Amino acid sequence: MKILVCISNVPDTTSKINFTDGDTKFDANGVQFVINPNDEFGLTRAMWFKEKQGATVHVATVGETTVEPTMRKALAIGADEAIRVNSVPTDGYFVAQQLAEVVKNGGYDLVIAGRESIDYNGGMVPGILATLLGMNFVNTCTNLEVDGTNATAIREIDGGKEKIATTLPLVIAGQKGLVEESDLRIPNMRGIMMARKKALNVIEPIEATKATEDTKFEKPAPKGAVRLIDAENIDELIELLHNEAKVI
Amino acid sequence: MKPDLFEAPDYYNLDDLFSEEHKLVRDAARQWVKRDISPIIESYAQKAEFPKQILGGLAEIGAFGPYIPETYGGAGLDQISYGLIMQEIERGDSGVRSTASVQSSLVMYPIYTYGSEEQRKKYLPKLATGELMGCFGLTEPNHGSNPSGMETKFKDAGDHYLLNGAKLWISNSPFADIAVVWAKNEDGRIQGLIVERGMDGFSTPETHNKWSLRASATGELIFDNVKVPKANLLPGKSGLGAPLGCLDSARYGIAWGAIGAAMDCYDTALRYAKERMQFGKPIAAFQLQQKKLAEMITEITKAQLLAFRLGQLKNEGKATTQQISMAKRNNVDMALKIAREARQVLGAMGITGDYSIMRHMMNLESVITYEGTHDIHLLITGADITGIPAFT
């Protein structure tokens, strides 16, 4: 089985988020980047397929040279080969078209993408990718077993779980549940040493259009100060909740 | 113990100077410390026990001989990577870093540098995986800052050497499988021997009741007519310069490690000062607290630059013993002062095991003394700039 794990390079969850150019661009200055957590669950599951079922695992991303440390980390965790499409990842449609080309050329049986990246939360890439490739698709996937060309997936639905039988080739949009947080791997020294010798292939993007454009970002309003109301003064509390907070 | 919310300070964007691999190695160590050290270290320090279960993890992140070539089981990394690993481990605990320092710089380094090819092949790969643990015997009850006066000696007894003497303040000794021991031969010349646990007459009693490095095992090495095979003599170098070469490597690691302890104290104090309210505002809003925090980050930044430059010199094979002394002395002193100031920022909370600061502070009282005391390192600099040794 040949697996492609699609990786997004996203700001670490503890990063302080700011925008520049009139709130139209993300300010990457001083921000630490990591493998998108939803992708990391998928990568870890792919490692399981590699170790238990002899799968080959490649990782791919769309990004400029600044994403290479993230790809090198994926190699250190155990991916066999990495592919970087040399372009700014403008929007989900653009990224999906680039990744579709990678999948076509690589002949992958299984494509694991994260349900969404934790930066822009677009959640578009896996679905568009499956559509462009004409592959089966399981969204919000929390478990995946593969036996030959048959796959059994579990996905989250409102208030419960759905078990799906499908076949390869397959695209899944993965998330926590594929593996648990405690299963995530820290690159060990052997992995880091081996990653030095693994290929990180850079390919140029294909002609592709983007479907959307970010025109403005807005941060949530900062939290206001807490106002303490005397426990005896219930009328004032109700008045404030009704007229000022407008929650009752 | 509170959850580990550590965020590493990098005021001068030193990350721009590190290579992709440096950062990968460091971040892996950082992540490992957060996952495997922070949740357990306080309880092990409180009960004065070394957490042996972490040895496999230390080996996995490359803490054992990171700069030893791959042929011998090392990672073949450069000196800056070694420093960064030590920094991250000591961010967790100086005792754990001590275990890694000893294994790398005081056991693997001498076997690699002064050992025979057979000795390298026999010991280094197993030391790199933690399958074998080592310790280093130089200091003696009557000879600390003056190791050349050592009394431990060995003599030729035909097909083996006969070793007699005692070593004190030996990190890892209670559980080490092997000890690299420095002793005088019949001509009074210092040489290194590899002594293995189980050899008749060799014992390693543990030192109890320490107020410092409580999560690290410390002990003695006692040699009572120990028969050491001749093949266990390190043939590559003799004289005091041989053990001192090991100390250069260990002190270099300590110069980085101390930054880790300081970073943890600073980060804890900064977070606490921004959250702790007094007189209706966070204590970080008061000038006296800001002075403490601003001075801490200034000193950490200076120490980071010192260690980075020393790392470059080490990589080029140009770092002198004297330069290493300066960095070890400065950075450990810096970390100890920061730990004391950070403890003050936390007020009474600073003395509890809920925070790491007092553990770091007590650990650093050992670190400022071992591997060349604070005063001896000052005299090394003094001798270097004046040309006049003032040790005696």
Side-chain angles (χ1 to χ4, degrees):
Chain A
M1 179 168 50
K2 201 170 169 190
I3 303 174
L4 183 73
V5 181
C6 304
I7 302 278
S8 269
N9 183 53
V10 298
D12 184 79
T13 45
T14 58
S15 303
K16 288 166 188 68
I17 303 300
N18 288 304
F19 299 100
T20 58
D21 296 9
D23 287 340
T24 59
K25 284 202 174 65
F26 173 65
D27 182 4
N29 196 23
V31 171
Q32 294 278 344
F33 284 85
V34 296
I35 299 176
N36 178 41
N38 286 317
D39 304 341
E40 198 173 352
F41 291 124
L43 175 63
T44 311
R45 186 64 185 163
M47 286 302 108
W48 188 90
F49 284 123
K50 178 179 168 171
E51 286 154 14
K52 305 283 182 194
Q53 300 185 3
T56 302
V57 178
H58 291 182
V59 286
T61 194
V62 179
E64 296 182 297
T65 50
T66 49
V67 308
E68 288 196 356
T70 296
M71 300 308 277
R72 192 66 68 186
K73 182 178 177 187
L75 291 171
I77 286 171
D80 300 296
E81 207 173 303
I83 301 147
R84 177 173 72 82
V85 181
N86 187 27
S87 176
V88 177
T90 47
D91 74 342
Y93 183 52
F94 177 85
V95 169
Q97 290 174 90
Q98 302 302 336
L99 292 173
E101 191 66 14
V102 172
V103 177
K104 274 185 221 158
N105 293 334
Y108 298 98
D109 307 296
L110 173 65
V111 179
I112 303 177
R115 181 190 71 188
E116 62 184 349
S117 60
I118 59 153
D119 48 6
Y120 298 100
N121 304 85
M124 293 188 286
V125 171
I128 300 174
L129 187 56
T131 307
L132 291 172
L133 293 163
M135 285 186 176
N136 293 329
F137 177 54
V138 178
N139 205 356
T140 56
C141 184
T142 56
N143 190 29
L144 180 70
E145 304 284 349
V146 177
D147 183 8
T149 55
N150 294 318
T152 309
I154 291 175
R155 61 181 294 267
E156 276 192 354
I157 54 173
D158 215 6
K161 289 177 181 174
E162 181 183 28
K163 192 171 182 181
I164 296 171
T166 183
T167 54
L168 303 183
L170 171 70
V171 177
I172 68 161
Q175 62 181 70
K176 187 178 165 186
L178 281 177
V179 297
E180 293 305 316
E181 265 151 8
S182 56
D183 299 320
L184 297 179
R185 298 177 182 197
I186 297 171
N188 61 27
M189 194 48 64
R190 190 111 344 244
I192 292 170
M193 286 157 64
M194 285 168 71
R196 287 178 194 156
K197 294 168 192 148
K198 291 178 182 171
L200 202 168
N201 302 308
V202 181
I203 58 171
E204 289 308 312
I206 57 161
E207 279 288 317
T209 51
K210 56 181 177 176
T212 58
E213 190 166 4
D214 297 323
T215 54
K216 191 171 173 62
F217 294 105
E218 206 172 304
K219 288 204 282 188
K223 283 183 187 165
V226 172
R227 199 185 313 174
L228 293 172
I229 309 295
D230 196 297
E232 303 294 309
N233 208 346
I234 299 297
D235 289 345
E236 188 188 349
L237 177 65
I238 291 169
E239 195 269 329
L240 286 169
L241 288 172
H242 185 65
N243 293 323
E244 198 171 308
K246 298 189 188 346
V247 292
I248 56 170
Chain B
M1 190 75 184
K2 301 260 182 204
D4 185 353
L5 303 171
F6 176 70
E7 287 176 47
D10 182 16
Y11 202 75
Y12 261 39
N13 302 347
L14 237 76
D15 264 20
D16 293 350
L17 300 177
F18 295 130
S19 72
E20 190 187 292
E21 188 166 272
H22 289 148
K23 285 184 268 195
L24 187 56
V25 166
R26 178 199 61 190
D27 293 349
R30 185 171 289 171
Q31 223 180 327
W32 178 77
V33 166
K34 233 174 209 192
R35 190 189 69 188
D36 287 6
I37 297 297
S38 300
I40 61 150
I41 194 64
E42 183 61 31
S43 77
Y44 278 85
Q46 292 281 2
K47 60 188 177 191
E49 191 180 321
F50 176 71
K52 273 193 181 167
Q53 72 273 24
I54 66 169
L55 291 175
L58 280 167
E60 288 260 297
I61 61 159
F64 298 154
Y67 54 80
I68 298 292
E70 293 179 44
T71 339
Y72 302 108
L77 294 172
D78 73 349
Q79 290 290 326
I80 291 176
S81 297
Y82 171 52
L84 286 167
I85 294 171
M86 294 301 112
Q87 171 188 289
E88 294 306 317
I89 297 174
E90 191 147 359
R91 208 280 295 173
D93 189 78
S94 305
V96 179
R97 199 270 306 137
S98 299
T99 292
S101 280
V102 168
Q103 183 87 340
S104 295
S105 288
L106 301 182
V107 180
M108 296 178 75
Y109 176 87
I111 292 174
Y112 173 65
T113 314
Y114 313 133
S116 67
E117 191 57 23
E118 292 70 34
Q119 289 167 341
R120 290 174 173 185
K121 284 184 180 152
K122 180 178 177 188
Y123 296 108
L124 292 175
K126 288 182 179 169
L127 289 163
T129 59
E131 186 186 336
L132 280 183
M133 289 302 297
C135 64
F136 175 89
L138 178 65
T139 298
E140 297 187 354
N142 296 322
H143 303 279
S145 294
N146 176 26
S148 62
M150 71 171 63
E151 294 162 44
T152 301
K153 55 183 189 285
F154 67 98
K155 63 180 180 189
D156 198 322
D159 62 344
H160 60 267
Y161 297 115
L162 211 52
L163 177 67
N164 278 289
K167 302 287 180 179
L168 192 62
W169 304 121
I170 310 302
S171 293
N172 300 357
S173 97
F175 62 81
D177 304 290
I178 64 168
V180 171
V181 177
W182 301 92
K184 284 182 178 164
N185 65 16
E186 286 152 286
D187 300 327
R189 184 95 182 146
I190 294 170
Q191 288 197 276
L193 298 141
I194 303 168
V195 181
E196 298 183 18
R197 183 172 295 283
M199 287 179 175
D200 275 350
F202 175 41
S203 58
T204 60
E206 184 161 359
T207 303
H208 295 289
N209 300 329
K210 293 178 296 173
W211 282 118
S212 179
L213 300 180
R214 288 172 62 82
S216 160
T218 311
E220 300 170 50
L221 302 174
I222 296 172
F223 314 103
D224 180 11
N225 283 316
V226 180
K227 288 180 185 174
V228 181
K230 288 199 160 169
N232 285 24
L233 184 80
L234 296 176
K237 191 165 179 174
S238 64
L240 190 60
L244 293 186
C246 307
L247 294 183
D248 272 355
S249 178
R251 289 165 180 171
Y252 166 76
I254 294 168
W256 282 90
I259 297 171
M263 280 177 168
D264 198 44
C265 293
Y266 164 76
D267 181 61
T268 304
L270 178 63
R271 186 171 301 106
Y272 188 88
K274 289 200 282 192
E275 287 170 1
R276 170 71 174 166
M277 303 290 287
Q278 285 294 282
F279 305 103
K281 51 186 175 183
I283 61 169
F286 294 97
Q287 289 185 350
L288 287 177
Q289 304 307 324
Q290 288 196 3
K291 176 177 187 288
K292 292 187 185 83
L293 294 164
E295 285 177 350
M296 285 181 211
I297 190 62
T298 307
E299 291 307 314
I300 288 171
T301 304
K302 284 152 67 177
Q304 285 172 323
L305 292 166
L306 202 60
F308 180 78
R309 177 60 189 145
L310 188 62
Q312 289 180 322
L313 291 169
K314 279 280 277 178
N315 278 344
E316 293 162 9
K318 294 196 292 201
T320 64
T321 296
Q322 292 78 5
Q323 286 170 328
I324 294 168
S325 275
M326 181 184 279
K328 190 270 183 183
R329 180 178 186 275
N330 180 80
N331 289 8
V332 176
D333 184 52
M334 167 286 298
L336 184 53
K337 284 177 177 154
I338 284 178
R340 288 172 181 158
E341 289 292 272
R343 212 287 303 152
Q344 295 240 30
V345 173
L346 266 72
M349 288 310 293
I351 71 161
T352 72
D354 284 351
Y355 294 91
S356 55
I357 292 175
M358 195 122 170
R359 178 167 45 80
H360 283 307
M361 187 204 296
M362 296 194 300
N363 283 342
L364 289 161
E365 290 289 350
S366 291
V367 182
I368 204 166
T369 297
Y370 72 22
E371 302 272 355
T373 67
H374 189 63
D375 290 342
I376 287 288
H377 284 301
L378 185 83
L379 295 181
I380 289 173
T381 307
D384 194 37
I385 56 175
T386 62
I388 310 166
F391 300 101
T392 54

